[in-house]
């Protein structure tokens, strides 16, 4: 049995594991279908191909110790964000009454602004989309469309004060938008101490403008009570007819 340790500080990085041959399907890809874990618990393998990383080893995730996953981001928006915003967008459109809606500047405008402008008619806004929830000011007046968090376990929607319409938004997305964008990394004063290494990757900027998930938007819209309204059904049919290539967001 072998144990992986850090080459610098000798910290233990794995449970005891036995070396086996690298599975033949190690580099297999199958679209977005879920595949089982590559290595069985208690085993590891080393890539024997000279073209690959020298000494690259693979283990079962459960056999790692004292480590943190550092994913290699590809600069795309998280699809879970697209789904969450797609559902919230449907709620905003349904509560608009088919009239112009303004979106609060900042992160909300990045995620919802273009879609709202494309789906609803131009003109002086009748209502404004704002964030509401824990730690934020209570929106005032019936003109507010408040995006509020949904409890990740119970599904309970944060209650809005009387007269304010609330639109549910995934709690993780709500929290990120409420906190605002992360600060850009900047050089620290002085030098790193000897023997200290930084290995966290710098955050990547998205390669494209944010787009809400089309299927989630359409499915959510069709299940809302206001869907019987002709103007809302018309928006649904127009967006569905255009598909992903011609979606207005």
């Amino acid at each position: 049995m072998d144990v992986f340790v850090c080459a610098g500080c000798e910290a233990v990085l794995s449970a005891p594991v036995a070396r086996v041959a690298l599975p033949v399907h190690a580099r297999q890809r199958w679209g977005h279908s879920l595949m089982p874990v590559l290595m069985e618990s208690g085993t590891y393998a080393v890539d024997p191909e000279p073209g690959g990383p020298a000494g690259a080893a693979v283990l079962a995730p459960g056999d790692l110790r004292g480590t943190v996953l550092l994913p290699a981001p590809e600069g795309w928006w998280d699809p879970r964000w697209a789904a969450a915003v797609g559902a919230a967008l449907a709620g905003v459109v349904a509560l608009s009454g088919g009239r112009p809606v303004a979106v609060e500047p900042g992160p909300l405008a990045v995620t919802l602004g273009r879609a709202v402008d494309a789906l609803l008619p131009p003109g002086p806004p009748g209502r404004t989309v704002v964030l509401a929830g824990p730690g934020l000011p209570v929106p005032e007046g019936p003109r507010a469309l408040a995006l509020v968090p949904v409890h990740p376990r119970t599904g309970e929607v944060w209650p809005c004060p009387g007269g304010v319409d609330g639109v549910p938004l995934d709690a993780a997305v709500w929290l990120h938008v409420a906190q605002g964008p992360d600060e850009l990394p900047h050089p620290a004063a002085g030098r790193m101490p000897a023997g200290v290494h930084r290995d966290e990757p710098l955050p990547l900027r998205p390669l494209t403008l944010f787009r809400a998930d089309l299927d989630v938007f359409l499915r959510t819209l069709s299940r809302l009570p206001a869907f019987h309204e002709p103007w809302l059904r018309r928006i649904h049919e127009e967006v569905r007819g255009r598909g992903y290539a011609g979606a207005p967001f």
Side-chain angles (χ1 to χ4, degrees):
M1 302 291 283
D2 300 316
V3 173
F4 283 79
V5 299
C6 175
C9 67
E10 299 185 352
V12 175
L13 301 179
S14 79
V17 287
R19 182 170 178 174
V20 298
L22 183 72
V24 68
H25 58 279
R27 295 180 179 82
Q28 184 182 27
R29 295 184 178 181
W30 193 258
H32 296 287
S33 300
L34 296 177
M35 298 183 68
V37 176
L38 178 64
M39 303 302 299
E40 294 184 5
S41 179
T43 68
Y44 77 98
V46 177
D47 189 349
E49 295 189 7
V58 287
L59 300 84
D63 287 334
L64 295 174
R65 299 290 186 270
T67 60
V68 176
L69 177 65
L70 294 177
E74 298 179 354
W76 299 103
W77 289 98
D78 191 321
R80 293 170 295 185
W81 269 66
V85 175
L89 176 62
V92 169
V93 171
L95 289 172
S96 72
R99 293 182 290 274
V101 168
V103 180
E104 192 176 47
L108 270 187
V110 173
T111 54
L112 281 174
R114 289 192 312 121
V116 167
D117 291 342
L119 294 170
L120 298 176
R127 310 191 72 174
T128 301
V129 182
V130 299
L131 275 181
L136 295 182
V138 176
E140 299 180 358
R143 288 170 51 88
L145 287 176
L147 287 182
V148 294
V150 180
H151 195 285
R153 292 188 177 180
T154 66
E156 183 179 359
V157 179
W158 180 270
C160 284
V164 177
D165 289 323
V167 178
L169 179 62
D170 176 84
V173 177
W174 181 94
L175 181 62
H176 190 92
V177 175
Q179 291 177 339
D182 297 332
E183 293 185 2
L184 291 174
H186 54 85
R191 295 185 176 182
M192 295 291 294
V196 176
H197 303 278
R198 300 185 67 92
D199 60 358
E200 66 269 21
L202 292 176
L204 296 180
R205 294 299 180 186
L207 301 177
T208 62
L209 294 174
F210 179 81
R211 298 183 67 179
D213 187 279
L214 178 66
D215 290 336
V216 173
F217 168 76
L218 292 174
R219 184 168 61 252
T220 305
L221 199 67
S222 67
R223 296 178 178 179
L224 295 176
F227 189 63
H228 68 276
E229 298 287 345
W231 66 268
L232 192 58
R233 296 181 68 92
R234 183 168 59 253
I235 290 177
H236 181 278
E237 294 305 315
E238 289 178 356
V239 174
R240 186 178 65 174
R242 295 180 185 181
Y244 276 99
F249 52 87

